[in-house]
C-alpha cells in the first residue's frame, strides 16, 4: 500500500461544475496536509494547507480533512479551464523531530475542465 | 518577491558526464529539499538539509548522487557519472523550520530539466 494515494484520473469536468479530488494516507500520526497544483512543465504550486479536521475554504477551493478516516479532499467550485492541471496531495507523515516539513506526495490527479 | 531559484533550467548531457544542479532557497529558510520527478515515479524526495546539515538522503542513489550545502544560500546536487535513467526534472524546495516559528509549507523552485543521452 502506498503511503499517500490519489485517484489517478484523469478527471474531466465541464466548466462551472464542482471538481472533487481525493487522497488517502497511511499514517494516523500525520499532522499536516497540502494540495499542490502543477501545470504542465511547471513546478508544484501550493494552493491549500489544512491541519485540523473539517473544512477550510479559500475562494473557490475547499479542503476537507477527516483524520479518523485518513482522508483529505479538495473541492474546486465553479471550475474553469484554467484549473486544468495535475493536483498533488502531500502529507507530512510524521511531524515530529527532524522529519518536520518532510512531505510524501501522491502520484497526482490530472484534472481537465472543458468549456 | 521571495522565491526559490534553480540553475540551470535545462541540461542536456551525455552518459558518463558529471552534472551539477544548484538551488538558492528563499532567504531565511533553513531547510532545503531535493526532489526528482518522472512520469513513472512521480515526485520523489532525494535528500534534505536543515541548517546546512544533511538530515536524510535515503532517497538518493549513493553511488552516483551527492548533495551538499556549502552555505546557507546555496544547495547543490551532483550526479557523477550520469546515466540515461537519471533523466528527470529535479526540484528544490525550502521551508523555514525555526524553533517556535515553524512554517511547513514548502515552496518549490522552477526545476532543472535533465536529459542524459
Amino acid at each position: 500500500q502506498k503511503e499517500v494515494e490519489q485517484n489517478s484520473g484523469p478527471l474531466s469536468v465541464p466548466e462551472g461544475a464542482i471538481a472533487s479530488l481525493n487522497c488517502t494516507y497511511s499514517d494516523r500520526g500525520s499532522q499536516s496536509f497540502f494540495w499542490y497544483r502543477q501545470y504542465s512543465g511547471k513546478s508544484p504550486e501550493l494552493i491549500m494547507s489544512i491541519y485540523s479536521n473539517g473544512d477550510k475554504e479559500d475562494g473557490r477551493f475547499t479542503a476537507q480533512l477527516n483524520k479518523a478516516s485518513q482522508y483529505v479532499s479538495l473541492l474546486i467550485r465553479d471550475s474553469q479551464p484554467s484549473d486544468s492541471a495535475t493536483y498533488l496531495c502531500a502529507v507530512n507523515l510524521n511531524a515530529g523531530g527532524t522529519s518536520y516539513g518532510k512531505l510524501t506526495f501522491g502520484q497526482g490527479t490530472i484534472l481537465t475542465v472543458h468549456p | 518577491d521571495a522565491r526559490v531559484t534553480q540553475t540551470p533550467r535545462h541540461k542536456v548531457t551525455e552518459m558518463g558526464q558529471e552534472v551539477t544542479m544548484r538551488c538558492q532557497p528563499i532567504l531565511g529558510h533553513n531547510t532545503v529539499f531535493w526532489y526528482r520527478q518522472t512520469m513513472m515515479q512521480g515526485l520523489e524526495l532525494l535528500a534534505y538539509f536543515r541548517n546546512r546539515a544533511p538530515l536524510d538522503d535515503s532517497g538518493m542513489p549513493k553511488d552516483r548522487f551527492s548533495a551538499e550545502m556549502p552555505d546557507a544560500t546555496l544547495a547543490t546536487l551532483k550526479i557523477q557519472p550520469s546515466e540515461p535513467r537519471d533523466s528527470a526534472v529535479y526540484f528544490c524546495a525550502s521551508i523555514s523550520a525555526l524553533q517556535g516559528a515553524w512554517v511547513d509549507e514548502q515552496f518549490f523552485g522552477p526545476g532543472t530539466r535533465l536529459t542524459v543521452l
Side-chain angles (χ1 to χ4, degrees), chain A residues 6-105:
Chain A
Q6 296 181 245
N7 293 339
S8 59
L11 176 65
S12 181
V13 300
E15 185 174 357
I18 295 176
S20 177
L21 304 161
N22 304 316
C23 174
T24 58
Y25 58 94
S26 60
D27 190 337
R28 282 191 175 276
S30 301
Q31 300 292 321
S32 309
F33 308 85
F34 306 88
W35 284 99
Y36 284 81
R37 177 177 62 200
Q38 187 174 24
Y39 292 115
S40 180
K42 301 295 186 182
S43 58
E45 171 192 16
L46 179 67
I47 55 172
M48 290 287 285
S49 59
I50 187 166
Y51 303 91
S52 304
N53 278 328
D55 295 358
K56 179 182 177 182
E57 188 174 315
D58 184 0
R60 296 186 296 109
F61 298 97
T62 299
Q64 299 174 317
L65 176 61
N66 184 326
K67 290 186 178 181
S69 300
Q70 296 172 240
Y71 175 93
V72 59
S73 66
L74 179 71
L75 300 178
I76 306 174
R77 291 182 301 280
D78 188 23
S79 296
Q80 302 296 309
S82 59
D83 295 325
S84 299
T86 298
Y87 288 80
L88 299 165
C89 172
V91 179
N92 188 335
L93 292 177
N94 178 0
T98 59
S99 65
Y100 181 84
K102 177 181 175 182
L103 297 182
T104 300
F105 284 81

Side-chain angles (χ1 to χ4, degrees), chain B residues 28-79:
Chain B
H29 282 195
N30 67 337
T31 304
V32 176
F33 302 85
W34 280 107
Y35 293 92
R36 175 172 63 184
Q37 188 175 42
T38 61
M39 289 293 293
M40 291 300 296
Q41 299 298 324
L43 199 57
E44 303 173 283
L45 178 66
L46 296 175
Y48 71 107
F49 294 77
R50 178 154 301 142
N51 298 323
R52 298 175 56 197
L55 289 187
D56 185 352
D57 62 1
S58 59
M60 209 163 62
K62 301 291 192 303
D63 56 339
R64 300 182 299 107
F65 284 59
S66 61
E68 295 180 342
M69 275 202 79
D71 62 60
T73 63
L74 177 64
T76 63
L77 179 66
K78 188 176 295 186
I79 307 174

